[in-house]
Amino acid sequence: MAVATQSLEELCINSIRFLAIDAVEKAKSGHPGLPMGAAPMAFVIWDRFMRYNPKNPKWFNRDRFILSAGHGSMLQYALLYLAGYDSVTIEDIKQFRQWESKTPGHPENFMTAGVEVTTGPLGQGIANAVGLAIAEAHLAAKFNKPDAKIVDHYTYVILGDGCNMEGVSGEASSFAGHQGLGKLIALYDDNHISIDGSTDVAFTEDVSKRFEAYGWHVLHVKEGNTDLDAIAKAIEEAKSVTDKPSMIKVTTTIGYGSPNKANTAGVHGAALGTDEVKLTRSNLGWEYEPFVVPQDAVNHMRKAVERGAGYEAEWNKAFDAYKAKYPQEAAEFERYISGKLPDGWDQVLPTYTAEDKALPTRKHSETCLNKLAAVLPELIGGSADLTHSNLTEIKGKGEFQKGQYQNPNIHFGVREHGMGAICNGIALHGSGLIPYGATFLIFTDYMRAAIRLSALSQAGSIWVMTHDSIGQGEDGPTHQPIETLASLRAIPKLTVIRPADGNEASGAYKVAIERAKQNAPTLLAFTRQNVPNLAGTSIEGVTKGGYTVVDSEGTPELIIIGTGSELNLAVTAAEKLTAEGKKVRVVSLPAWDLFEAQDAAYRESVLPKAVTKRLAVEAGTSFGWHKYVGTEGDTVTIDRFGASAPGGVCLEKFGFSVDNVLAKAKALLG
Amino acid sequence: MAVATQSLEELCINSIRFLAIDAVEKAKSGHPGLPMGAAPMAFVIWDRFMRYNPKNPKWFNRDRFILSAGHGSMLQYALLYLAGYDSVTIEDIKQFRQWESKTPGHPENFMTAGVEVTTGPLGQGIANAVGLAIAEAHLAAKFNKPDAKIVDHYTYVILGDGCNMEGVSGEASSFAGHQGLGKLIALYDDNHISIDGSTDVAFTEDVSKRFEAYGWHVLHVKEGNTDLDAIAKAIEEAKSVTDKPSMIKVTTTIGYGSPNKANTAGVHGAALGTDEVKLTRSNLGWEYEPFVVPQDAVNHMRKAVERGAGYEAEWNKAFDAYKAKYPQEAAEFERYISGKLPDGWDQVLPTYTAEDKALPTRKHSETCLNKLAAVLPELIGGSADLTHSNLTEIKGKGEFQKGQYQNPNIHFGVREHGMGAICNGIALHGSGLIPYGATFLIFTDYMRAAIRLSALSQAGSIWVMTHDSIGQGEDGPTHQPIETLASLRAIPKLTVIRPADGNEASGAYKVAIERAKQNAPTLLAFTRQNVPNLAGTSIEGVTKGGYTVVDSEGTPELIIIGTGSELNLAVTAAEKLTAEGKKVRVVSLPAWDLFEAQDAAYRESVLPKAVTKRLAVEAGTSFGWHKYVGTEGDTVTIDRFGASAPGGVCLEKFGFSVDNVLAKAKALLG
């Protein structure tokens, strides 16, 4: 297949292919995902369709491009370089997969401008893309006017067999079909090879038929290695169908152009090797040295810079007109994309006294969400089919559904993982929207990969988790979190807050909203059952992560640390001990990482090193608590699975009673 | 719809319905999942088709029944009671969802004989069922002879809309279609209602078409509330198709029979209430008092006892004949179902000296697996598309595929969550098979719900996880576990083992295999990169969870605790410190929970309370380590996300070097 002369487009595509080959060869690391088959479709998207501005990667109205098959990251870096982004130079490409390079092993939005989301864990990218498309649809429905479309872009995705095997992609795709997200266009790189070899060993379903079943518009390009016009035609057709997302199956050859490794898993899991690279160069008629790209290709693709400036100028003009005509909406829109909160927004958060009625903290969460929604219309989200258990409905605002995308209440269905990745996509749209997703705390297990990615990829999602302990009750151990809080607290950059009452629920939302605007996620854990409002709790206390709720006169002999529904046990026990003449402090520790972020003096003031008699009370595992109770302290915790019984019975039986706290406290006091 | 006279079958079905109504009403707890629409299909399965023996719930060749829609647990308890199981009495039903009852909120196999797996977390049951069907197909291919079918049963599942929305069910169903598991028959209770209301709000895909796309045989019963013959006919048809699993969509009415709540979400999320129960009784012509079942219905359903005894006697006879003709196979089969290990099985586990070649522990894992497979043919499993990275192939044994079910190597595809639930199903088949599932350690996040359920439901699965730290390298932070070990160690009843070298890898497998036979899961964490073999490591040490690898002369001044690939840093640092005259002990702590299970004297002998200068070294989060290093100790750990770079560079940059261990050790020594 020696190619004597190459068209300009072929030259560009081969530039992508050989940049990837050369970078992978230099890095000599496994699983490089050479984009030999995917380069043509990516090129067609970027060169013939996509509107973006390389010199302003965050230009609001850009089309979004997601490489869901993130192991092919060099495809994206080559595109960024060729299209004229400043974020990726040829030197960066030579540093592929090296320490602190702009070209890490998988696309990371926080490392490389022009990368929208972080992919690599399979299936996340396509699910993020559903979130991006939802953000676009929502903002368009909210801000566009019959005479002014200021929000109007497509979301393009390339995904592979691996993505399509993952359940999360199924969940999100089913949801996208339900919502009829017409501006979501996914190109499925159908190359029949995954790491274990031919997909025949594990994946023989009819993917196209499955997407049809989801309600997608499905197309097929039979010769994806070379037939650029067929790819372009399919994308045109996809754009013409506006009430369904489109899935274009593009049949390609993995390792296309490699005489001996094309169409094998070898090219998926390892670099080609010097000899095969030579043969591939010869086979594709590529006479350029490693990392050398023909100037014609660069010149052609860099036209994106001029085009991009034009798109942006045009949009700016349109927005100016919009602003003149619709100043109020324009101001709101500008606030959205500025990432700023309106002045005084947090004044709506309620506070409580000990006289206020005992309520479940999930009920306080509902109050906060609804009060906040009135001043923060950028809140958008919902539950994975537990709306009336999680209490996450924004009342009077309607459902986000096909034809009514302006509404904020999303019914995600029983799709926790998809919900997580979709929320991350909404956050990473970068338009100021604050997504939230809700389920029972235990089912964070279903969406943990998405929660982790929210923390890693700086997505300001809010995870609203209710039924946060064995107090959940009758549903039994499958539904009762034990180790869940610990397992979430261990995730870097994820703030986990377990509020004790109404004030702390308000504090939790204050933190979560502020963090969301700083592109950081927060997970909130609320009770199913009633808890009393406590005298010493405060919003400010929560923002510090930990604080003294009840203090002793003089240096305490004992510190009881509580969180959530158990803080009131700590307070009651302390009252009894104080009445007996003991010096007992109660510390509320709703957010460990926020407490750790305080200065040493503050931490010492709350938990003085000298006071080693410490008792932690939390209806969850003891795992992790030794950091605070030390070797001389103790815990009232539960290190076994729960049981099906009324919540109060479970709590009592497992030792979450004032009596048991008192007994353990007295044992410590000696 | 007053029913004047009821057929015997209607009487049985209404008995199921009202037992559930009465139990739910008495328990007065939320989310009871009244089986008004599902009772007919369940009755048809149990009464007309299923072979089981109520008086011997574990009879090997029984058909398996899985209620994947586990919130309808009362359906299962009613069936067990009516069919004559000793595990559920009418008193037990009156104790529905109460402390220590046999009738918990969701079906729990460890609480109630006759329940095969633990369901409730949606989608798990159907995926477990795929595992049960795999176990049956595998054992049948292995043991059956042309003249003797000793393994021959169906796996029936009832699943709902919730199950079908979950990604895990999609993964497992796609895999079941690929494998052509003809004896798997799933009945989809298509009632259009989930907790949030009509499925129209979130779930409008064509489920039947999706299952066709997966390669299933798909049927539809349009009147599932009453048309028992149509249900039976569909099951007959399902049985007649032997090369595909069958999915029978059975359209029903949720809350069938309730005049005001049928076909509403109200009946999904709460009890009917006294008045509506009365109306429902009247509507369905049910004149019996609460918890009273007409004797005719009991008599009819209890025929299952006699039938069951017959099935078992027949099977015993067939097995006797088999035993006479195929004594060797019969002996092996009997060993399988006895749950016993062959004598001396662990002698195949290799041991190493410090002179042996440095290798990745994943390579040691491969050696163990292959050596064990030679003596334990009950090992069956594989990887989620990372076979040659996880190194989990049993060489020379062939792939488990349609038409070659006797082989042990399963290609799960990129379906971690499905893999997890399928492995649990294989384990819970209760036939002595030891399933294992493999992926990168980080992707336990995708399958965490299944891992947790292995621990809760006493499934002896082995989780083989490789690439267990930032030593993973170039793939970057999306692929590098940080908090993962901690998050897994926090799960009750899950033993997590991170071996340091060849000896410890052998120890890890010794523990994992023994635990598997005791119906307990084990998670193994192996390195991608080379680690040296150390002088003091041993199989026995691993079985104790923690042990001294290098000791000082006399009481140590400092204890360095290491796991996995970092143990050798601890050993080298200790050598240097010893050379400088310090008294330093090195403790290997590969399995925390096993160490905690040792007696106090042993634990004190390894980690004496008096030695408070302690340094833990592990390429993972510090979260949880304070239990061992206390307030005066320190850790060499990583509390941030990793980075894309060669593994050695990552380890060095993040402080996993002898120099850094030395520096921290010296700081502690003062």
Side-chain angles (χ1 to χ4, degrees), chain A residues 21-100:
Chain A
I21 284 179
D22 296 338
V24 164
E25 214 58 32
K26 183 160 188 291
K28 297 221 177 303
S29 72
H31 199 212
L34 281 180
M36 305 300 282
M41 68 182 94
F43 171 78
V44 170
I45 296 170
W46 281 60
D47 197 62
R48 296 202 197 175
F49 289 94
M50 226 167 72
R51 293 180 307 175
Y52 56 101
N53 182 1
K55 297 305 174 194
N56 182 7
K58 294 279 178 194
W59 168 53
F60 169 78
N61 204 40
R62 68 193 181 278
D63 289 333
R64 267 63 170 181
F65 172 80
I66 307 297
L67 185 63
S68 190
H71 49 281
S73 60
M74 259 311 304
L75 169 63
Q76 193 152 11
Y77 305 139
L79 287 163
L80 291 169
Y81 166 64
L82 291 169
Y85 283 75
D86 298 325
S87 51
V88 178
T89 66
I90 198 79
E91 288 309 311
D92 292 317
I93 289 177
K94 289 179 184 170
Q95 290 299 307
F96 180 53
R97 299 191 141 208
Q98 303 307 306
W99 182 255
E100 289 186 343

Side-chain angles (χ1 to χ4, degrees), chain A residues 383-577:
Chain A
S383 164
D385 197 47
L386 292 168
T387 303
H388 305 298
S389 296
N390 301 142
L391 305 178
T392 43
E393 189 185 351
I394 298 174
K395 287 169 187 166
K397 286 297 180 83
E399 292 179 10
F400 181 95
Q401 294 286 3
K402 197 168 176 173
Q404 48 198 61
Y405 293 138
Q406 72 282 6
N407 295 331
N409 289 302
I410 304 181
H411 286 288
F412 287 105
V414 192
R415 304 182 181 103
E416 297 84 5
H417 200 174
M419 171 175 75
I422 289 169
C423 284
N424 291 343
I426 294 172
L428 294 172
H429 192 259
S431 45
L433 293 174
I434 305 177
Y436 60 95
T439 182
F440 288 165
L441 179 61
I442 190 69
F443 297 130
T444 55
D445 280 359
Y446 272 65
M447 56 185 291
R448 188 171 166 89
I451 292 173
R452 183 183 208 257
L453 275 165
S454 71
L456 175 62
S457 69
Q458 302 175 6
S461 304
I462 300 179
W463 310 118
V464 180
M465 299 297 157
T466 71
H467 297 59
D468 73 345
S469 77
I470 49 168
Q472 198 272 358
E474 291 90 344
D475 280 342
T478 55
H479 286 54
Q480 295 168 347
I482 299 294
E483 73 287 8
T484 318
L485 284 167
S487 79
L488 293 163
R489 285 176 181 142
I491 298 177
K493 297 189 181 177
L494 177 71
T495 289
V496 176
I497 312 183
R498 185 168 188 249
D501 65 2
N503 289 331
E504 289 202 355
S506 289
Y509 271 97
K510 181 170 162 67
V511 171
I513 296 290
E514 285 173 349
R515 282 176 56 84
K517 291 289 182 178
Q518 292 153 13
N519 307 318
T522 307
L523 186 139
L524 310 175
F526 297 109
T527 68
R528 176 190 184 201
Q529 75 274 21
N530 279 350
V531 289
N533 287 290
L534 301 170
T537 56
S538 70
I539 291 175
E540 195 203 350
V542 175
T543 66
K544 293 182 175 169
Y547 62 109
T548 300
V549 175
V550 177
D551 211 354
S552 56
E553 286 186 29
T555 307
E557 300 164 81
L558 170 76
I559 301 176
I560 310 182
I561 310 170
T563 81
S565 42
E566 288 67 62
L567 185 63
N568 83 78
L569 298 181
V571 169
T572 308
E575 282 166 2
K576 288 184 191 281
L577 291 165

Side-chain angles (χ1 to χ4, degrees), chain B residues 139 155 224 328 339 431 623 625 630 661 668:
Chain B
L139 294 167
T155 301
Q328 208 178 329
S431 46
F623 196 94
W625 271 108
V661 174
L668 280 176

Side-chain angles (χ1 to χ4, degrees), chain A residues 328-390:
Chain A
Q328 205 176 332
E329 289 91 332
E332 185 73 349
F333 179 84
E334 285 183 317
R335 185 183 69 76
Y336 270 42
I337 61 172
S338 76
K340 285 187 186 141
L341 288 160
D343 290 340
W345 66 276
D346 53 349
Q347 299 305 310
V348 301
L349 291 168
T351 55
Y352 302 84
T353 68
E355 284 68 46
D356 284 312
K357 193 179 158 192
L359 287 173
T361 55
R362 64 175 166 147
K363 190 75 193 164
H364 291 301
S365 167
E366 181 184 46
T367 303
C368 288
L369 256 180
N370 275 275
K371 287 193 178 283
L372 287 168
V375 292
L376 300 175
E378 61 262 51
L379 275 164
I380 176 171
S383 164
D385 197 47
L386 292 168
T387 303
H388 305 298
S389 296
N390 301 142

Side-chain angles (χ1 to χ4, degrees), chain B residues 63-321:
Chain B
D63 289 333
R64 267 62 171 179
F65 173 80
I66 307 296
L67 185 64
S68 191
H71 48 281
S73 60
M74 257 313 301
L75 170 62
Q76 192 152 11
Y77 305 140
L79 287 164
L80 290 170
Y81 165 64
L82 291 169
Y85 284 75
D86 297 326
S87 52
V88 179
T89 65
I90 199 79
E91 288 310 310
D92 293 316
I93 289 178
K94 290 179 184 168
Q95 290 300 308
F96 181 52
R97 298 190 141 208
Q98 303 307 307
W99 181 256
E100 289 187 342
S101 78
K102 295 289 169 200
T103 51
H106 293 84
E108 297 170 356
N109 58 308
F110 51 94
M111 288 299 283
T112 317
V115 172
E116 302 286 354
V117 305
T118 294
T119 57
L122 291 170
Q124 299 290 332
I126 174 71
N128 292 161
V130 174
L132 292 169
I134 285 174
E136 195 270 350
H138 179 64
L139 294 167
K142 204 157 184 164
F143 288 105
N144 287 353
K145 303 288 177 182
D147 60 347
K149 269 194 176 178
I150 59 163
V151 184
D152 181 20
H153 71 76
Y154 288 88
T155 301
Y156 295 98
V157 190
I158 293 180
L159 75 167
D161 288 303
C163 289
N164 270 328
M165 285 190 248
E166 290 285 6
V168 62
S169 74
E171 293 179 12
S173 300
S174 172
F175 186 70
H178 168 78
Q179 292 288 354
L181 299 167
K183 290 162 92 175
L184 174 62
I185 300 176
L187 287 84
Y188 162 34
D189 181 6
D190 169 46
N191 65 27
H192 301 292
I193 298 286
S194 64
I195 295 179
D196 273 10
S198 165
T199 52
D200 288 351
V201 303
F203 189 57
T204 47
E205 63 167 64
D206 182 340
V207 177
S208 294
K209 187 170 179 175
R210 173 156 63 89
F211 274 79
E212 282 170 12
Y214 291 148
W216 287 51
H217 169 226
V218 176
L219 298 156
H220 187 194
V221 173
K222 290 181 184 155
E223 203 351 314
N225 301 315
T226 54
D227 194 346
L228 307 188
D229 289 341
I231 296 170
K233 185 160 169 286
I235 295 175
E236 289 289 3
E237 279 187 51
K239 292 175 74 168
S240 74
V241 173
T242 59
D243 63 345
K244 291 178 175 184
S246 290
M247 199 278 270
I248 307 170
K249 179 163 105 167
V250 186
T251 299
T252 65
T253 307
I254 198 169
Y256 175 82
S258 159
N260 299 302
K261 295 201 175 172
N263 209 22
T264 71
V267 78
H268 201 306
L272 290 177
T274 316
D275 292 348
E276 188 68 12
V277 168
K278 200 174 285 180
L279 291 173
T280 306
R281 279 191 138 74
S282 155
N283 193 34
L284 291 179
W286 197 250
E287 53 204 15
Y288 304 92
E289 291 300 302
F291 299 105
V292 173
V293 175
Q295 197 56 42
D296 286 354
V298 176
N299 291 345
H300 177 74
M301 286 205 71
R302 292 266 161 98
K303 286 180 189 160
V305 174
E306 197 186 328
R307 277 203 310 272
Y311 294 138
E312 185 164 348
E314 196 184 329
W315 185 82
N316 287 340
K317 206 173 139 192
F319 186 70
D320 286 343

Side-chain angles (χ1 to χ4, degrees), chain A residues 167 171 174 196 205 387 452, chain B residues 167 171 174 196 205 387 452 483:
Chain A
E171 292 178 13
S174 171
D196 273 8
E205 63 167 64
T387 303
R452 183 183 208 257
Chain B
E171 293 179 12
S174 172
D196 273 10
E205 63 167 64
T387 303
R452 182 182 210 261
E483 73 287 9

Side-chain angles (χ1 to χ4, degrees), chain A residues 29 97-99 104-106 108 118-122 124 162 165-167 171 174 178 194-196 200-206 209-210 212-214 385-387 399 401 411 413-417 442-443 445-446 448-449 452 455-456 474-475 477-480 482-483 486-487 489-492 592 623-624 626-627 630-631 639-641 643-646 649 653-654, chain B residues 29 97-99 104-106 108 118-122 124 162 165-167 171 174 178 194-196 200-206 209-210 212-214 385-387 399 401 411 413-417 442-443 445-446 448-449 452 455-456 474-475 477-480 482-483 486-487 489-492 592 623-624 626-627 630-631 639-641 643-646 649 653-654:
Chain A
S29 72
R97 299 191 141 208
Q98 303 307 306
W99 182 255
H106 293 84
E108 296 170 357
T118 294
T119 56
L122 291 169
Q124 299 291 333
M165 283 189 251
E166 291 285 6
E171 292 178 13
S174 171
H178 169 78
S194 65
I195 294 179
D196 273 8
D200 288 349
V201 303
F203 189 56
T204 47
E205 63 167 64
D206 182 340
K209 187 169 178 176
R210 172 156 64 92
E212 282 170 13
Y214 291 147
D385 197 47
L386 292 168
T387 303
E399 292 179 10
Q401 294 286 3
H411 286 288
V414 192
R415 304 182 181 103
E416 297 84 5
H417 200 174
I442 190 69
F443 297 130
D445 280 359
Y446 272 65
R448 188 171 166 89
R452 183 183 208 257
L456 175 62
E474 291 90 344
D475 280 342
T478 55
H479 286 54
Q480 295 168 347
I482 299 294
E483 73 287 8
S487 79
R489 285 176 181 142
I491 298 177
W592 293 16
F623 197 95
H626 291 85
K627 180 169 190 171
T631 40
D639 287 338
R640 52 154 283 179
F641 290 114
S644 173
V649 175
K653 293 275 187 186
F654 288 120
Chain B
S29 71
R97 298 190 141 208
Q98 303 307 307
W99 181 256
H106 293 84
E108 297 170 356
T118 294
T119 57
L122 291 170
Q124 299 290 332
M165 285 190 248
E166 290 285 6
E171 293 179 12
S174 172
H178 168 78
S194 64
I195 295 179
D196 273 10
D200 288 351
V201 303
F203 189 57
T204 47
E205 63 167 64
D206 182 340
K209 187 170 179 175
R210 173 156 63 89
E212 282 170 12
Y214 291 148
D385 199 45
L386 291 168
T387 303
E399 292 178 8
Q401 293 287 1
H411 287 288
V414 191
R415 304 182 181 104
E416 298 84 5
H417 200 175
I442 190 70
F443 296 131
D445 280 0
Y446 273 65
R448 189 173 165 87
R452 182 182 210 261
L456 175 61
E474 290 91 344
D475 281 342
T478 54
H479 285 55
Q480 294 169 347
I482 298 296
E483 73 287 9
S487 78
R489 285 177 182 141
I491 298 178
W592 293 17
F623 196 94
H626 292 85
K627 179 168 191 173
T631 39
D639 288 339
R640 52 154 283 181
F641 290 114
S644 173
V649 175
K653 293 275 188 187
F654 288 119

Side-chain angles (χ1 to χ4, degrees), chain A residues 116-137:
Chain A
E116 303 286 353
V117 303
T118 294
T119 56
L122 291 169
Q124 299 291 333
I126 175 70
N128 292 159
V130 174
L132 293 168
I134 285 173
E136 195 270 350

